[in-house]
Amino acid sequence: MPLSATRQARLENGLPKIEITLPEVGVQVAPETYFDGTHSDFWLEIGFGKGEHLAALAAAHPEIGMIGSEPFLNGVSGLVDLVVEGNLPNVRVFKDDARLLMDSLPEASIGRAFILFPDPWPKARHHKRRMVSAGNIAVLSRILKDGAELRIGTDHMEYCRWIMAHMLASADFVWQCDNPADWRNRPDDWPSSRYEIKSREAGRVSSYLRFIRRPRSL
Ligand SMILES: C[S@@+](CC[C@H](N)C(=O)[O-])C[C@H]1O[C@@H](n2cnc3c(N)ncnc32)[C@H](O)[C@@H]1O
């Protein structure tokens, strides 16, 4: 759906102040380059939808530089509105495929990453489009710092099994789980996203998966 004239104007005014543009392919850029030098760490959200989760974290953690990637223009517009309304100077947006952004980030440069309710692509012939894949897990492993947390949420049972199988197959990540409550309940510091709320209202059950990037030296 095209943006209304008002939203288009707000996007054109707000986006250039927070938009990330990438260097040429093959060149890596440290995340601090995109901020003003006052942030202690940098977190990355892949596919932020309309940005509720990202904006809530940015408000709760002004010390963190929050980077979000989302190719859906309506979603980018939603986040730009939240950034303006919430006066959030610590948000940057890449309005394209997160894989391009991740490729441009240096090794061990991101302190936390989020993939919330990624498109499940339920048909087998579309599984190769899934964001959680061996290739993307390897990229996340490269850009995440030692001990960094990767959070993945989903309400799709089969994709959840796929995510677990792929994550547990990686030697670089450890699942943070002592008991079922650890994945059945959304942690207090994990703000809701639009998709999660819609899913809950529709009566679906979500899984909240947390993985830690193993230290490289061990
Ligand atoms: C089901 S929606 C979930 C949105 C949001 N995370 C939420 O929980 O409300 C999945 C999102 O992933 C985005 N997405 C899909 N492929 C992507 C990619 N390659 N890079 C970044 N975002 C992507 C879609 O545009 C969509 O907004």
Side-chain angles (χ1 to χ4, degrees), residues 47-49 69-72 97-98 116-117 119 131 193-195:
F48 58 73
S69 177
E70 172 59 64
F72 172 48
D97 189 327
L116 304 185
F117 301 87
D119 299 311
M131 182 53 73
S193 65
R194 175 170 299 231
Y195 189 93

Side-chain angles (χ1 to χ4, degrees), residues 128-191:
K128 56 183 176 296
R129 300 183 188 176
R130 286 178 163 175
M131 182 53 73
V132 179
S133 65
N136 289 340
I137 291 169
V139 174
L140 281 159
S141 163
R142 183 184 68 77
I143 64 173
L144 286 173
K145 297 177 179 179
D146 289 358
E149 192 171 295
L150 169 61
R151 294 183 169 187
I152 308 177
T154 184
D155 63 347
H156 192 278
M157 194 65 82
E158 187 271 323
Y159 196 14
C160 187
R161 283 194 291 269
W162 164 289
I163 291 166
M164 287 306 303
H166 282 73
M167 289 301 300
L168 295 178
S170 167
D172 295 340
F173 288 95
V174 187
W175 186 26
Q176 299 301 287
C177 181
D178 294 324
N179 61 67
D182 290 337
W183 55 268
R184 285 186 182 148
N185 300 335
R186 181 169 51 78
D188 291 341
D189 65 349
W190 180 326

